[in-house]
Coordinates of all heavy atoms in Angstrom, one line a residue:
E24 N 42.2 276.7 167.3 CA 40.8 277.1 167.6 C 40.8 278.6 167.9 O 41.8 279.2 168.5 CB 40.2 276.4 168.7 CG 40.0 274.9 168.4 CD 39.2 274.2 169.5 OE1 39.5 274.3 170.7 OE2 38.1 273.5 169.2
L25 N 39.7 279.3 167.5 CA 39.6 280.7 167.8 C 38.6 280.9 169.0 O 37.5 280.3 169.0 CB 39.0 281.4 166.5 CG 38.5 282.9 166.7 CD1 39.7 283.8 167.0 CD2 37.7 283.3 165.5
F26 N 39.0 281.7 169.9 CA 38.2 282.1 171.1 C 38.0 283.6 171.2 O 39.0 284.3 170.9 CB 38.9 281.6 172.4 CG 39.0 280.1 172.5 CD1 40.1 279.4 171.9 CD2 38.0 279.3 173.1 CE1 40.2 278.0 172.0 CE2 38.1 277.9 173.2 CZ 39.2 277.3 172.6
V27 N 36.8 284.0 171.5 CA 36.5 285.4 171.7 C 35.6 285.4 173.0 O 34.6 284.7 173.1 CB 35.7 286.0 170.6 CG1 35.4 287.5 170.9 CG2 36.6 285.9 169.3
D28 N 36.1 286.2 174.0 CA 35.4 286.4 175.2 C 35.1 285.0 175.9 O 34.1 284.8 176.5 CB 34.0 287.1 175.1 CG 34.2 288.6 174.8 OD1 35.3 289.1 175.1 OD2 33.3 289.2 174.3
G29 N 36.1 284.1 175.8 CA 36.0 282.8 176.4 C 35.1 281.8 175.7 O 34.8 280.7 176.2
I30 N 34.6 282.2 174.5 CA 33.7 281.4 173.7 C 34.5 280.8 172.5 O 35.1 281.6 171.7 CB 32.5 282.2 173.3 CG1 31.7 282.6 174.5 CG2 31.6 281.3 172.3 CD1 30.6 283.6 174.2
E31 N 34.4 279.5 172.2 CA 35.0 278.9 171.1 C 34.2 279.3 169.8 O 33.0 279.0 169.8 CB 35.1 277.4 171.2 CG 35.7 276.7 170.0 CD 35.3 275.3 169.9 OE1 34.9 274.7 170.9 OE2 35.4 274.7 168.7
L32 N 34.8 279.9 168.8 CA 34.1 280.3 167.6 C 34.5 279.4 166.4 O 33.6 279.2 165.5 CB 34.4 281.7 167.2 CG 33.7 282.8 168.0 CD1 34.0 284.2 167.3 CD2 32.2 282.6 167.9
A33 N 35.7 278.9 166.3 CA 36.1 278.2 165.1 C 37.2 277.2 165.5 O 37.9 277.3 166.4 CB 36.7 279.2 164.1
N34 N 37.2 276.1 164.6 CA 38.2 275.0 164.7 C 38.8 274.9 163.4 O 38.1 274.8 162.4 CB 37.4 273.8 165.2 CG 38.4 272.7 165.6 OD1 39.5 272.9 165.8 ND2 37.8 271.5 165.7
G35 N 40.2 274.8 163.4 CA 40.9 274.7 162.1 C 42.0 273.7 162.1 O 42.6 273.4 163.1
Y36 N 42.2 273.1 160.9 CA 43.2 272.1 160.7 C 44.1 272.4 159.5 O 43.6 272.9 158.5 CB 42.6 270.7 160.5 CG 41.6 270.2 161.5 CD1 40.5 269.5 161.0 CD2 41.7 270.5 162.8 CE1 39.6 269.0 161.9 CE2 40.8 270.0 163.7 CZ 39.7 269.2 163.2 OH 38.7 268.7 164.1
H37 N 45.4 272.0 159.6 CA 46.1 271.7 158.4 C 45.8 270.3 158.1 O 46.1 269.4 158.9 CB 47.6 271.9 158.6 CG 48.4 271.9 157.3 ND1 49.6 272.6 157.2 CD2 48.2 271.4 156.1 CE1 50.1 272.5 156.0 NE2 49.2 271.7 155.3
E38 N 45.0 270.0 157.1 CA 44.2 268.8 156.9 C 45.1 267.5 156.8 O 46.1 267.5 156.1 CB 43.3 268.9 155.8 CG 42.3 270.0 155.9 CD 41.2 269.8 157.0 OE1 41.1 268.6 157.4 OE2 40.6 270.7 157.4
L39 N 44.6 266.5 157.4 CA 45.2 265.1 157.2 C 45.0 264.7 155.8 O 43.9 264.8 155.3 CB 44.6 264.2 158.2 CG 45.0 262.7 158.1 CD1 46.4 262.5 158.6 CD2 44.1 261.8 159.0
L40 N 46.0 264.1 155.2 CA 45.9 263.7 153.8 C 46.0 262.1 153.6 O 45.6 261.6 152.6 CB 47.0 264.3 152.9 CG 47.1 265.8 152.9 CD1 48.2 266.3 152.0 CD2 45.8 266.5 152.5
D41 N 46.5 261.5 154.6 CA 46.8 260.1 154.6 C 45.6 259.2 154.8 O 45.0 259.2 155.9 CB 47.9 259.7 155.7 CG 48.4 258.3 155.6 OD1 47.7 257.4 155.3 OD2 49.7 258.1 155.7
A42 N 45.1 258.5 153.8 CA 43.9 257.7 153.9 C 44.0 256.6 154.9 O 43.0 256.3 155.7 CB 43.6 257.1 152.5
E43 N 45.2 256.0 155.1 CA 45.3 254.9 156.0 C 45.3 255.4 157.5 O 44.7 254.9 158.4 CB 46.6 254.1 155.8 CG 46.9 253.0 156.8 CD 45.8 251.9 156.8 OE1 45.1 251.7 155.8 OE2 45.5 251.3 157.9
E44 N 45.9 256.6 157.7 CA 45.9 257.2 159.0 C 44.4 257.6 159.3 O 44.0 257.5 160.5 CB 46.8 258.4 159.0 CG 46.8 259.2 160.3 CD 47.3 258.5 161.5 OE1 48.0 257.4 161.4 OE2 47.0 258.9 162.7
F45 N 43.7 258.1 158.3 CA 42.3 258.5 158.5 C 41.5 257.3 158.9 O 40.7 257.4 159.9 CB 41.8 259.1 157.2 CG 40.4 259.4 157.1 CD1 39.8 260.3 158.0 CD2 39.5 258.8 156.2 CE1 38.5 260.6 157.9 CE2 38.2 259.1 156.1 CZ 37.6 260.0 157.0
H46 N 41.8 256.1 158.3 CA 41.1 254.9 158.7 C 41.4 254.5 160.1 O 40.4 254.2 160.9 CB 41.5 253.8 157.7 CG 40.8 252.5 158.0 ND1 39.5 252.2 157.6 CD2 41.4 251.3 158.5 CE1 39.2 251.0 158.0 NE2 40.3 250.4 158.5
Q47 N 42.6 254.5 160.5 CA 43.0 254.1 161.8 C 42.4 255.1 162.9 O 42.0 254.6 164.0 CB 44.5 254.1 162.0 CG 45.2 253.0 161.1 CD 44.7 251.6 161.5 OE1 44.5 251.3 162.6 NE2 44.5 250.8 160.5
R48 N 42.4 256.4 162.6 CA 41.8 257.3 163.6 C 40.3 257.0 163.8 O 39.8 257.1 164.9 CB 42.1 258.7 163.2 CG 43.5 259.2 163.3 CD 43.7 260.6 163.0 NE 45.1 261.1 162.9 CZ 45.5 262.3 162.7 NH1 44.6 263.3 162.6 NH2 46.7 262.6 162.5
N49 N 39.6 256.7 162.7 CA 38.2 256.4 162.7 C 37.9 255.2 163.6 O 37.0 255.1 164.3 CB 37.6 256.3 161.3 CG 37.4 257.6 160.6 OD1 37.3 258.7 161.3 ND2 37.3 257.6 159.3
L50 N 38.8 254.2 163.4 CA 38.6 252.9 164.2 C 38.8 253.2 165.7 O 38.0 252.7 166.5 CB 39.6 251.9 163.7 CG 39.4 251.3 162.3 CD1 40.5 250.3 162.0 CD2 38.1 250.6 162.2
K51 N 39.8 254.0 166.0 CA 40.0 254.4 167.4 C 38.9 255.2 168.0 O 38.4 254.9 169.1 CB 41.3 255.2 167.5 CG 41.7 255.6 168.9 CD 43.0 256.3 169.0 CE 43.3 256.8 170.4 NZ 44.6 257.5 170.5
T52 N 38.4 256.1 167.2 CA 37.3 257.0 167.7 C 36.0 256.1 167.9 O 35.3 256.3 168.8 CB 37.0 258.1 166.7 OG1 38.2 258.9 166.5 CG2 35.9 259.0 167.2
N53 N 35.8 255.2 167.0 CA 34.6 254.3 167.1 C 34.7 253.5 168.4 O 33.7 253.3 169.1 CB 34.4 253.4 165.9 CG 33.5 254.0 164.9 OD1 32.6 254.8 165.2 ND2 33.6 253.6 163.6
A54 N 35.9 253.0 168.7 CA 36.1 252.3 169.9 C 35.8 253.1 171.2 O 35.2 252.6 172.1 CB 37.6 251.7 170.0
L55 N 36.2 254.4 171.1 CA 35.9 255.3 172.2 C 34.4 255.6 172.3 O 33.9 255.7 173.4 CB 36.7 256.6 172.1 CG 38.2 256.5 172.2 CD1 38.9 257.8 171.8 CD2 38.6 256.1 173.6
R56 N 33.8 255.7 171.2 CA 32.3 255.9 171.2 C 31.6 254.7 171.8 O 30.6 254.9 172.6 CB 31.8 256.1 169.8 CG 32.2 257.5 169.1 CD 31.6 257.6 167.7 NE 30.1 257.4 167.7 CZ 29.3 258.4 167.9 NH1 29.7 259.6 168.2 NH2 28.0 258.2 167.9
Q57 N 32.0 253.5 171.6 CA 31.4 252.4 172.1 C 31.7 252.3 173.6 O 30.8 251.8 174.4 CB 31.9 251.1 171.4 CG 31.3 251.1 169.9 CD 31.8 249.9 169.1 OE1 33.0 249.7 168.9 NE2 30.8 249.1 168.7
L58 N 32.8 252.7 174.1 CA 33.1 252.8 175.5 C 32.1 253.8 176.2 O 31.7 253.6 177.4 CB 34.5 253.3 175.8 CG 35.6 252.2 175.6 CD1 37.0 252.9 175.8 CD2 35.5 251.0 176.5
D59 N 31.6 254.8 175.4 CA 30.7 255.8 175.9 C 29.2 255.3 175.7 O 28.3 256.1 175.9 CB 30.9 257.1 175.3 CG 32.2 257.8 175.5 OD1 32.8 257.4 176.6 OD2 32.7 258.6 174.7
D60 N 29.1 254.0 175.3 CA 27.7 253.5 175.0 C 27.1 254.2 173.8 O 25.9 254.4 173.7 CB 26.8 253.5 176.2 CG 27.3 252.6 177.3 OD1 27.8 251.5 176.9 OD2 27.2 252.9 178.5
R61 N 27.9 254.7 172.9 CA 27.5 255.3 171.6 C 27.7 254.3 170.5 O 28.6 253.6 170.5 CB 28.2 256.6 171.3 CG 28.1 257.7 172.4 CD 26.7 258.3 172.3 NE 26.6 259.4 173.3 CZ 25.5 260.1 173.5 NH1 24.5 259.9 172.7 NH2 25.5 261.1 174.4
P62 N 26.8 254.4 169.5 CA 27.0 253.5 168.3 C 28.2 253.8 167.5 O 28.5 255.0 167.3 CB 25.7 253.6 167.5 CG 25.2 255.0 167.9 CD 25.6 255.2 169.3
A63 N 28.8 252.8 167.0 CA 29.9 253.0 166.0 C 29.3 253.6 164.7 O 28.2 253.3 164.4 CB 30.6 251.7 165.7
L64 N 30.1 254.5 164.0 CA 29.6 255.1 162.8 C 30.4 254.5 161.6 O 31.5 253.9 161.8 CB 29.9 256.6 162.9 CG 29.1 257.3 164.0 CD1 29.6 258.8 164.2 CD2 27.6 257.3 163.7
P65 N 29.8 254.6 160.4 CA 30.4 253.9 159.3 C 31.8 254.5 158.9 O 32.0 255.7 158.8 CB 29.4 254.2 158.1 CG 28.6 255.3 158.6 CD 28.5 255.2 160.1
V66 N 32.8 253.5 158.8 CA 34.2 253.9 158.6 C 34.4 254.1 157.1 O 35.1 255.1 156.7 CB 35.1 252.8 159.1 CG1 36.6 253.1 158.7 CG2 35.0 252.8 160.6
D67 N 33.8 253.3 156.2 CA 33.9 253.4 154.8 C 33.1 254.7 154.4 O 32.0 254.9 154.8 CB 33.4 252.2 154.1 CG 34.3 251.0 154.3 OD1 35.5 251.2 154.6 OD2 33.7 249.9 154.4
S68 N 33.7 255.5 153.5 CA 33.1 256.7 153.1 C 33.6 257.2 151.8 O 34.6 256.8 151.3 CB 33.3 257.8 154.2 OG 34.7 258.1 154.2
Y69 N 32.8 258.1 151.1 CA 33.3 258.7 149.9 C 34.6 259.5 150.2 O 35.4 259.7 149.3 CB 32.2 259.7 149.4 CG 31.0 259.0 148.8 CD1 29.7 259.2 149.3 CD2 31.1 258.1 147.7 CE1 28.6 258.6 148.8 CE2 30.0 257.5 147.1 CZ 28.8 257.7 147.7 OH 27.7 257.1 147.2

């Protein structure tokens, strides 16, 4: 991440390529969202 004067400006990744790992991370994130009383979001995607 890029910071200037204590302010976050940018977020960067060497991108994840593994589709199965992508799926598992989404499932985990959805579980955390539901713990926060947030709706789960669609896992299947283009």
Side-chain angles (χ1 to χ4, degrees):
E24 290 189 310
L25 171 67
F26 295 88
V27 178
D28 287 342
I30 296 171
E31 178 202 340
L32 279 189
N34 190 15
Y36 307 144
H37 196 150
E38 299 292 342
L39 177 71
L40 305 179
D41 189 318
E43 180 57 30
E44 176 65 19
F45 176 60
H46 179 75
Q47 293 301 320
R48 291 189 191 182
N49 282 338
L50 292 177
K51 181 180 178 180
T52 302
N53 265 337
L55 293 171
R56 287 181 58 85
Q57 291 178 298
L58 286 176
D59 297 337
D60 294 323
R61 299 286 184 183
L64 297 171
V66 173
D67 294 329
S68 63
Y69 289 119

